Amino acid sequence: MTGMTAWARLTRVAKLKPGSTAFVSAASGAVGSIVCQIAKSMDCRVIGSAGKASKIAWLREKAHGDEVFTYKKTESLSAKPGSLAPNGIDVYFDNVGGEHLEAALNQRDQFLKDMSGWIESGAIVWEETIRDGLENAPAAFIGLFQGDNMGKSLVRIS
């Protein structure tokens, strides 16, 4: 499900091309993490943001992001993408809106396309945060807003 969203929006809507620079907000999330990997597989430069150091480490080690940063610890979110992409951002894949969208628009070049949130072969990796039991559904939902999940947040009911 998330792979098709990522692939279709990158290749069909944004028409991402090799050598492009892509900025992905919530890059460690369910869709964002796949977007990063598809863009890397297309020989693109990937800049990603996430809210926690553990998510940044995952983006570097598993998704192979070129430039990743913790937006909660960034002095100026509006300036950060531009400092990491001095030649401009070709595609912004928006998973959160708000300040991230404003930051991307501040750094846009003539090719910027605002994106709101399969590769046939290749080693795509993903993460899921699974909580067991329906009684844990409220905590899982609240955890989405606190950044507790890695990738897709699921509640398993037996």
Side-chain angles (χ1 to χ4, degrees), residues 91-110:
V91 171
Y92 171 51
F93 201 100
D94 187 12
N95 290 301
V96 297
E99 287 184 77
H100 278 81
L101 175 58
E102 289 178 28
L105 292 174
N106 288 341
Q107 305 304 323
R108 70 189 178 277
D109 67 12
Q110 62 179 340

PDB file of all heavy atoms in Angstrom, residues 91-110:
ATOM      1  N   VAL A  91      12.181  17.942  -6.295  1.00  0.00           N
ATOM      2  CA  VAL A  91      10.912  17.348  -5.882  1.00  0.00           C
ATOM      3  C   VAL A  91      10.819  17.409  -4.367  1.00  0.00           C
ATOM      4  O   VAL A  91      11.753  17.035  -3.663  1.00  0.00           O
ATOM      5  CB  VAL A  91      10.806  15.871  -6.339  1.00  0.00           C
ATOM      6  CG1 VAL A  91       9.591  15.192  -5.725  1.00  0.00           C
ATOM      7  CG2 VAL A  91      10.738  15.794  -7.852  1.00  0.00           C
ATOM      8  N   TYR A  92       9.704  17.911  -3.890  1.00  0.00           N
ATOM      9  CA  TYR A  92       9.412  17.865  -2.458  1.00  0.00           C
ATOM     10  C   TYR A  92       8.281  16.878  -2.257  1.00  0.00           C
ATOM     11  O   TYR A  92       7.193  17.046  -2.819  1.00  0.00           O
ATOM     12  CB  TYR A  92       8.998  19.241  -1.932  1.00  0.00           C
ATOM     13  CG  TYR A  92       8.479  19.196  -0.507  1.00  0.00           C
ATOM     14  CD1 TYR A  92       9.209  18.567   0.501  1.00  0.00           C
ATOM     15  CD2 TYR A  92       7.259  19.759  -0.174  1.00  0.00           C
ATOM     16  CE1 TYR A  92       8.739  18.508   1.798  1.00  0.00           C
ATOM     17  CE2 TYR A  92       6.781  19.705   1.126  1.00  0.00           C
ATOM     18  CZ  TYR A  92       7.525  19.072   2.105  1.00  0.00           C
ATOM     19  OH  TYR A  92       7.050  19.001   3.383  1.00  0.00           O
ATOM     20  N   PHE A  93       8.519  15.851  -1.478  1.00  0.00           N
ATOM     21  CA  PHE A  93       7.490  14.865  -1.168  1.00  0.00           C
ATOM     22  C   PHE A  93       6.974  15.182   0.222  1.00  0.00           C
ATOM     23  O   PHE A  93       7.627  14.928   1.220  1.00  0.00           O
ATOM     24  CB  PHE A  93       8.048  13.444  -1.240  1.00  0.00           C
ATOM     25  CG  PHE A  93       6.976  12.410  -1.421  1.00  0.00           C
ATOM     26  CD1 PHE A  93       6.716  11.868  -2.666  1.00  0.00           C
ATOM     27  CD2 PHE A  93       6.214  11.980  -0.348  1.00  0.00           C
ATOM     28  CE1 PHE A  93       5.718  10.932  -2.839  1.00  0.00           C
ATOM     29  CE2 PHE A  93       5.214  11.046  -0.506  1.00  0.00           C
ATOM     30  CZ  PHE A  93       4.966  10.508  -1.763  1.00  0.00           C
ATOM     31  N   ASP A  94       5.798  15.767   0.271  1.00  0.00           N
ATOM     32  CA  ASP A  94       5.230  16.294   1.511  1.00  0.00           C
ATOM     33  C   ASP A  94       4.399  15.246   2.238  1.00  0.00           C
ATOM     34  O   ASP A  94       3.384  14.794   1.721  1.00  0.00           O
ATOM     35  CB  ASP A  94       4.366  17.509   1.181  1.00  0.00           C
ATOM     36  CG  ASP A  94       3.865  18.235   2.410  1.00  0.00           C
ATOM     37  OD1 ASP A  94       4.343  17.955   3.530  1.00  0.00           O
ATOM     38  OD2 ASP A  94       2.997  19.092   2.239  1.00  0.00           O
ATOM     39  N   ASN A  95       4.827  14.906   3.432  1.00  0.00           N
ATOM     40  CA  ASN A  95       4.073  13.979   4.272  1.00  0.00           C
ATOM     41  C   ASN A  95       3.474  14.670   5.491  1.00  0.00           C
ATOM     42  O   ASN A  95       2.731  14.047   6.235  1.00  0.00           O
ATOM     43  CB  ASN A  95       4.982  12.845   4.756  1.00  0.00           C
ATOM     44  CG  ASN A  95       5.365  11.923   3.625  1.00  0.00           C
ATOM     45  OD1 ASN A  95       4.517  11.327   2.981  1.00  0.00           O
ATOM     46  ND2 ASN A  95       6.658  11.818   3.366  1.00  0.00           N
ATOM     47  N   VAL A  96       3.821  15.946   5.723  1.00  0.00           N
ATOM     48  CA  VAL A  96       3.365  16.613   6.953  1.00  0.00           C
ATOM     49  C   VAL A  96       2.802  18.012   6.754  1.00  0.00           C
ATOM     50  O   VAL A  96       2.075  18.504   7.604  1.00  0.00           O
ATOM     51  CB  VAL A  96       4.490  16.672   8.011  1.00  0.00           C
ATOM     52  CG1 VAL A  96       4.909  15.282   8.452  1.00  0.00           C
ATOM     53  CG2 VAL A  96       5.689  17.455   7.522  1.00  0.00           C
ATOM     54  N   GLY A  97       3.146  18.695   5.684  1.00  0.00           N
ATOM     55  CA  GLY A  97       2.675  20.059   5.467  1.00  0.00           C
ATOM     56  C   GLY A  97       3.321  21.040   6.426  1.00  0.00           C
ATOM     57  O   GLY A  97       4.441  20.843   6.884  1.00  0.00           O
ATOM     58  N   GLY A  98       2.629  22.117   6.733  1.00  0.00           N
ATOM     59  CA  GLY A  98       3.082  23.097   7.716  1.00  0.00           C
ATOM     60  C   GLY A  98       4.445  23.681   7.427  1.00  0.00           C
ATOM     61  O   GLY A  98       4.734  24.112   6.301  1.00  0.00           O
ATOM     62  N   GLU A  99       5.296  23.713   8.456  1.00  0.00           N
ATOM     63  CA  GLU A  99       6.622  24.323   8.343  1.00  0.00           C
ATOM     64  C   GLU A  99       7.509  23.641   7.299  1.00  0.00           C
ATOM     65  O   GLU A  99       8.321  24.291   6.653  1.00  0.00           O
ATOM     66  CB  GLU A  99       7.328  24.305   9.694  1.00  0.00           C
ATOM     67  CG  GLU A  99       6.772  25.287  10.697  1.00  0.00           C
ATOM     68  CD  GLU A  99       7.592  25.259  11.975  1.00  0.00           C
ATOM     69  OE1 GLU A  99       8.693  25.839  11.975  1.00  0.00           O
ATOM     70  OE2 GLU A  99       7.133  24.639  12.944  1.00  0.00           O
ATOM     71  N   HIS A 100       7.356  22.328   7.160  1.00  0.00           N
ATOM     72  CA  HIS A 100       8.155  21.617   6.155  1.00  0.00           C
ATOM     73  C   HIS A 100       7.797  22.087   4.742  1.00  0.00           C
ATOM     74  O   HIS A 100       8.667  22.312   3.908  1.00  0.00           O
ATOM     75  CB  HIS A 100       7.948  20.101   6.266  1.00  0.00           C
ATOM     76  CG  HIS A 100       8.772  19.460   7.314  1.00  0.00           C
ATOM     77  ND1 HIS A 100       8.416  19.462   8.640  1.00  0.00           N
ATOM     78  CD2 HIS A 100       9.942  18.796   7.238  1.00  0.00           C
ATOM     79  CE1 HIS A 100       9.330  18.823   9.331  1.00  0.00           C
ATOM     80  NE2 HIS A 100      10.278  18.403   8.501  1.00  0.00           N
ATOM     81  N   LEU A 101       6.526  22.226   4.492  1.00  0.00           N
ATOM     82  CA  LEU A 101       6.089  22.709   3.184  1.00  0.00           C
ATOM     83  C   LEU A 101       6.600  24.125   2.939  1.00  0.00           C
ATOM     84  O   LEU A 101       7.128  24.424   1.865  1.00  0.00           O
ATOM     85  CB  LEU A 101       4.566  22.674   3.079  1.00  0.00           C
ATOM     86  CG  LEU A 101       3.955  23.260   1.804  1.00  0.00           C
ATOM     87  CD1 LEU A 101       4.478  22.557   0.553  1.00  0.00           C
ATOM     88  CD2 LEU A 101       2.436  23.174   1.870  1.00  0.00           C
ATOM     89  N   GLU A 102       6.488  24.969   3.940  1.00  0.00           N
ATOM     90  CA  GLU A 102       6.997  26.342   3.809  1.00  0.00           C
ATOM     91  C   GLU A 102       8.495  26.337   3.540  1.00  0.00           C
ATOM     92  O   GLU A 102       8.985  27.104   2.701  1.00  0.00           O
ATOM     93  CB  GLU A 102       6.687  27.140   5.068  1.00  0.00           C
ATOM     94  CG  GLU A 102       5.214  27.478   5.222  1.00  0.00           C
ATOM     95  CD  GLU A 102       4.932  28.224   6.504  1.00  0.00           C
ATOM     96  OE1 GLU A 102       5.826  28.941   7.010  1.00  0.00           O
ATOM     97  OE2 GLU A 102       3.802  28.083   7.006  1.00  0.00           O
ATOM     98  N   ALA A 103       9.235  25.479   4.242  1.00  0.00           N
ATOM     99  CA  ALA A 103      10.687  25.398   4.042  1.00  0.00           C
ATOM    100  C   ALA A 103      11.019  24.974   2.618  1.00  0.00           C
ATOM    101  O   ALA A 103      11.912  25.531   1.984  1.00  0.00           O
ATOM    102  CB  ALA A 103      11.302  24.417   5.046  1.00  0.00           C
ATOM    103  N   ALA A 104      10.294  23.995   2.104  1.00  0.00           N
ATOM    104  CA  ALA A 104      10.533  23.537   0.732  1.00  0.00           C
ATOM    105  C   ALA A 104      10.198  24.628  -0.265  1.00  0.00           C
ATOM    106  O   ALA A 104      10.945  24.860  -1.216  1.00  0.00           O
ATOM    107  CB  ALA A 104       9.711  22.280   0.445  1.00  0.00           C
ATOM    108  N   LEU A 105       9.094  25.309  -0.048  1.00  0.00           N
ATOM    109  CA  LEU A 105       8.699  26.373  -0.971  1.00  0.00           C
ATOM    110  C   LEU A 105       9.687  27.532  -0.929  1.00  0.00           C
ATOM    111  O   LEU A 105       9.936  28.170  -1.954  1.00  0.00           O
ATOM    112  CB  LEU A 105       7.280  26.865  -0.662  1.00  0.00           C
ATOM    113  CG  LEU A 105       6.181  25.851  -0.959  1.00  0.00           C
ATOM    114  CD1 LEU A 105       4.837  26.384  -0.489  1.00  0.00           C
ATOM    115  CD2 LEU A 105       6.141  25.494  -2.433  1.00  0.00           C
ATOM    116  N   ASN A 106      10.274  27.782   0.231  1.00  0.00           N
ATOM    117  CA  ASN A 106      11.293  28.831   0.343  1.00  0.00           C
ATOM    118  C   ASN A 106      12.537  28.492  -0.469  1.00  0.00           C
ATOM    119  O   ASN A 106      13.279  29.382  -0.875  1.00  0.00           O
ATOM    120  CB  ASN A 106      11.690  29.060   1.796  1.00  0.00           C
ATOM    121  CG  ASN A 106      10.626  29.760   2.582  1.00  0.00           C
ATOM    122  OD1 ASN A 106       9.740  30.396   2.030  1.00  0.00           O
ATOM    123  ND2 ASN A 106      10.691  29.626   3.898  1.00  0.00           N
ATOM    124  N   GLN A 107      12.789  27.217  -0.679  1.00  0.00           N
ATOM    125  CA  GLN A 107      14.004  26.785  -1.366  1.00  0.00           C
ATOM    126  C   GLN A 107      13.732  26.287  -2.773  1.00  0.00           C
ATOM    127  O   GLN A 107      14.612  25.738  -3.411  1.00  0.00           O
ATOM    128  CB  GLN A 107      14.681  25.657  -0.566  1.00  0.00           C
ATOM    129  CG  GLN A 107      14.969  26.000   0.870  1.00  0.00           C
ATOM    130  CD  GLN A 107      15.809  27.246   1.027  1.00  0.00           C
ATOM    131  OE1 GLN A 107      16.700  27.485   0.238  1.00  0.00           O
ATOM    132  NE2 GLN A 107      15.532  28.029   2.042  1.00  0.00           N
ATOM    133  N   ARG A 108      12.559  26.471  -3.255  1.00  0.00           N
ATOM    134  CA  ARG A 108      12.184  25.891  -4.541  1.00  0.00           C
ATOM    135  C   ARG A 108      13.031  26.456  -5.689  1.00  0.00           C
ATOM    136  O   ARG A 108      13.477  27.574  -5.649  1.00  0.00           O
ATOM    137  CB  ARG A 108      10.713  26.104  -4.821  1.00  0.00           C
ATOM    138  CG  ARG A 108      10.348  27.538  -5.108  1.00  0.00           C
ATOM    139  CD  ARG A 108       8.852  27.690  -5.153  1.00  0.00           C
ATOM    140  NE  ARG A 108       8.457  29.047  -5.378  1.00  0.00           N
ATOM    141  CZ  ARG A 108       8.346  29.987  -4.443  1.00  0.00           C
ATOM    142  NH1 ARG A 108       8.630  29.705  -3.202  1.00  0.00           N
ATOM    143  NH2 ARG A 108       7.961  31.200  -4.739  1.00  0.00           N
ATOM    144  N   ASP A 109      13.182  25.631  -6.689  1.00  0.00           N
ATOM    145  CA  ASP A 109      13.761  26.120  -7.930  1.00  0.00           C
ATOM    146  C   ASP A 109      12.695  25.926  -9.017  1.00  0.00           C
ATOM    147  O   ASP A 109      11.562  25.564  -8.721  1.00  0.00           O
ATOM    148  CB  ASP A 109      15.095  25.436  -8.266  1.00  0.00           C
ATOM    149  CG  ASP A 109      14.965  23.965  -8.605  1.00  0.00           C
ATOM    150  OD1 ASP A 109      13.827  23.490  -8.805  1.00  0.00           O
ATOM    151  OD2 ASP A 109      15.990  23.291  -8.681  1.00  0.00           O
ATOM    152  N   GLN A 110      13.018  26.133 -10.234  1.00  0.00           N
ATOM    153  CA  GLN A 110      12.008  26.102 -11.290  1.00  0.00           C
ATOM    154  C   GLN A 110      11.369  24.733 -11.471  1.00  0.00           C
ATOM    155  O   GLN A 110      10.311  24.607 -12.073  1.00  0.00           O
ATOM    156  CB  GLN A 110      12.620  26.575 -12.607  1.00  0.00           C
ATOM    157  CG  GLN A 110      13.751  25.694 -13.091  1.00  0.00           C
ATOM    158  CD  GLN A 110      14.318  26.172 -14.400  1.00  0.00           C
ATOM    159  OE1 GLN A 110      13.667  26.909 -15.117  1.00  0.00           O
ATOM    160  NE2 GLN A 110      15.525  25.743 -14.707  1.00  0.00           N
TER     161      GLN A 110
END
